[in-house]
Amino acid sequence: MVDSLFLVGIFFVGRHVIVRSLQVPLSVTITWIYAFFLTAGGAYDYKGCSPDIPSSNILVDECRKHAYTMKHCRADASNAWRTAAWVRIPYPLQWGVPIFHFRTSLIMIIVSLVASVDSVGTYHSASLLVSSKPPTPGVVSRGIALEGFCSLLAGIWGSGTGSTTLTENTHTINITKMASRRALVFGALFLILFSVVGKVGAILASIPLSLAAAILCFMWALVVAVGLSTLQYTQTASFRNITIVGVSLFLGLSIPTYFQQYQPESILMLPSYFVPYAAASDGPVHTINEQLDFSINALLSMSMVVTLLVAFVLDNTVPGSRDERGVYIWSCAEDVATDPSFQLDYSLPGKFSSLCCRSSCLRA
C-alpha cells in the first residue's frame, strides 16, 4: 500500500492513478492468497491442535503457545463458509424486539454526536475536493438527518452498527478524481445484493485477522490524515491552535488509557470494541447513580469522545478570531435559488426533495 507513494515519475499519469486507486485491493488480494496457500500447505498446522480455536482461549497446554498464530494467521479460522447459507434475506426485528437501557442509550447519543461532528467536517472537505461550493446549513442538517434515519433502519434490521459518513471516502475521491453520485448509487446496489448472499460474507470472514488489522492501520491512518488536513484552513502557526490540537490529542489518548485499566479480571480475551464497556462496569467514577457511573466511565474510556470534548471546550473558550480558528464559511440559502450549479450538486430526486422541503431545517 505504501509502494504507490513511490510510483510518481515511474508510470504514466493514467496508469499511476489506476495503481493508486487499487493499492488497497491489490495488496489485500495478494496477501490473502498467500495466507490461503500457507494455510492449505500446513504452515499453521500443529500436532494435536485443532484449527477451531475457542475465543475464550481455554486450550490444552501443548496448543496454548500456538493459539495466537493459528487464530490470527489461518485463512480458515472462521467456519463461516460451512455454516453460511447461500441466500439469506434479512428482515426487521430478526433478533427480537429492541431493548432500551438508560446507560447504553446515553452512550450511543454521545457517540452519535461525535459521528455527526465528523460528518460535518467530511461534507465540507468533500465539497472542496470536487470544487463545489460549501453546503448550506440546510444541506448539512439533511445529511445528518438521513444518517440518523439509516441508523434507525439498521437498528430495526439488527445490523449491530449505525450509519455514518465514511471519512476515508474523501481520500478515495482525491485519488480517483471521481465523485459521481450515480456511481455511488450503483455501488450501494451491489452492496445490497451481496448482503443477501451469505457465501460472500463467508469469503470475507476468511480474511486472516492479522491482514484485517493491517488494513485498519492503513485506513485509520487515512482518517487521522484527513482530519489533520482540515487544519490547513486555520492559522497553523498560531500558538493557540497548536496548543489546542496537542492537548486534545494527548488527553484523548491518555485519559481513555487510564480508564481502561479498570477492567474486571477475566480469563477471556475481549475484543477492542468491548473494552470501554468492560471498563465502564468497574471504572473509577462512582456517584450515587450506578447507571450514570456506567455511562461516564464508558464515555471517558473512548478516545474519540474525550478528544471531541476537550477540543470543543478549548476552541470555544480560548479567544481567537474566525480566521485563526478556521471557521467554515457555509453557503447561504439564497445561493440555492440564484446558482444553478448549486442545485446540480446538492439537489435530491423529485419525491425526496419535496419531502425534505416540508421541513424548514432540511431545505438546502
Side-chain angles (χ1 to χ4, degrees), residues 9-10 21 60 63 82 84-85 90 116 135-136 138 146 151 160 174 192 202 212 244 270 278 299 319 323 356:
I10 299 178
S21 61
V60 295
C63 300
R82 297 190 297 269
S116 299
T136 64
L146 289 177
S151 297
N174 189 25
I192 294 175
I244 292 177
L270 294 176
L299 291 173
D323 293 336
C356 290

Side-chain angles (χ1 to χ4, degrees), residues 67-351:
Y68 188 87
T69 302
M70 296 174 66
K71 183 177 181 179
H72 291 79
C73 299
R74 293 186 66 95
D76 60 350
S78 172
N79 61 350
W81 180 261
R82 297 190 297 269
T83 59
W86 279 101
V87 177
R88 184 183 184 279
I89 300 178
Y91 53 90
L93 304 179
Q94 56 183 331
W95 312 119
V97 180
I99 300 175
F100 296 92
H101 297 284
F102 169 76
R103 57 186 186 182
T104 53
S105 299
L106 180 60
I107 294 173
M108 290 307 301
I109 290 174
I110 302 299
V111 172
S112 299
L113 177 62
V114 176
S116 299
V117 173
D118 176 71
S119 297
V120 172
T122 304
Y123 298 160
H124 194 273
S125 300
S127 66
L128 296 176
L129 287 176
V130 298
S131 300
S132 177
K133 288 187 175 181
T136 64
V139 172
V140 175
S141 300
R142 189 177 65 193
I144 299 298
L146 289 177
E147 289 183 11
F149 178 72
C150 292
S151 297
L152 177 62
L153 294 180
I156 294 176
W157 261 263
S159 66
T161 57
S163 176
T164 185
T165 303
L166 190 62
T167 309
E168 296 93 321
N169 284 339
T170 56
H171 181 72
T172 304
I173 294 174
N174 189 25
I175 290 178
T176 60
K177 308 301 180 184
M178 192 281 299
S180 172
R181 290 188 292 180
R182 182 173 299 178
L184 297 179
V185 171
F186 280 110
L189 293 177
F190 274 108
L191 291 178
I192 294 175
L193 177 62
F194 290 152
S195 66
V196 301
V197 182
K199 295 301 182 181
V200 174
I203 294 175
L204 296 177
S206 66
I207 298 178
L209 293 181
S210 57
L211 177 57
I215 298 173
L216 289 178
C217 289
F218 180 75
M219 300 306 294
W220 285 114
L222 292 182
V223 174
V224 175
V226 171
L228 293 177
S229 66
T230 58
L231 295 176
Q232 63 181 307
Y233 308 111
T234 67
Q235 295 180 5
T236 55
S238 170
F239 178 77
R240 171 192 181 275
N241 295 339
I242 294 175
T243 303
I244 292 177
V245 173
V247 171
S248 301
L249 292 178
F250 176 77
L251 294 181
L253 294 174
S254 58
I255 293 179
T257 302
Y258 169 74
F259 274 78
Q260 290 174 9
Q261 294 177 353
Y262 292 86
Q263 297 185 31
E265 295 183 0
S266 174
I267 61 174
L268 302 180
M269 185 175 62
L270 294 176
S272 59
Y273 48 83
F274 279 152
V275 170
Y277 298 99
S281 60
D282 194 25
V285 177
H286 298 284
T287 63
I288 58 176
N289 191 322
E290 294 183 359
Q291 301 285 342
L292 185 61
D293 294 344
F294 185 94
S295 301
I296 295 177
N297 288 321
L299 291 173
L300 293 181
S301 62
M302 298 180 182
S303 298
M304 59 179 181
V305 175
V306 176
T307 304
L308 173 66
L309 293 178
V310 174
F312 178 80
V313 172
L314 292 179
D315 188 49
N316 288 276
T317 55
V318 178
S321 63
R322 293 178 61 89
D323 293 336
E324 187 179 15
R325 296 175 59 192
V327 178
Y328 291 156
I329 301 177
W330 303 106
S331 298
C332 300
E334 292 76 11
D335 296 339
V336 180
T338 59
D339 191 351
S341 63
F342 196 97
Q343 283 284 356
L344 182 63
D345 292 336
Y346 294 106
S347 62
L348 290 174
K351 295 183 179 180

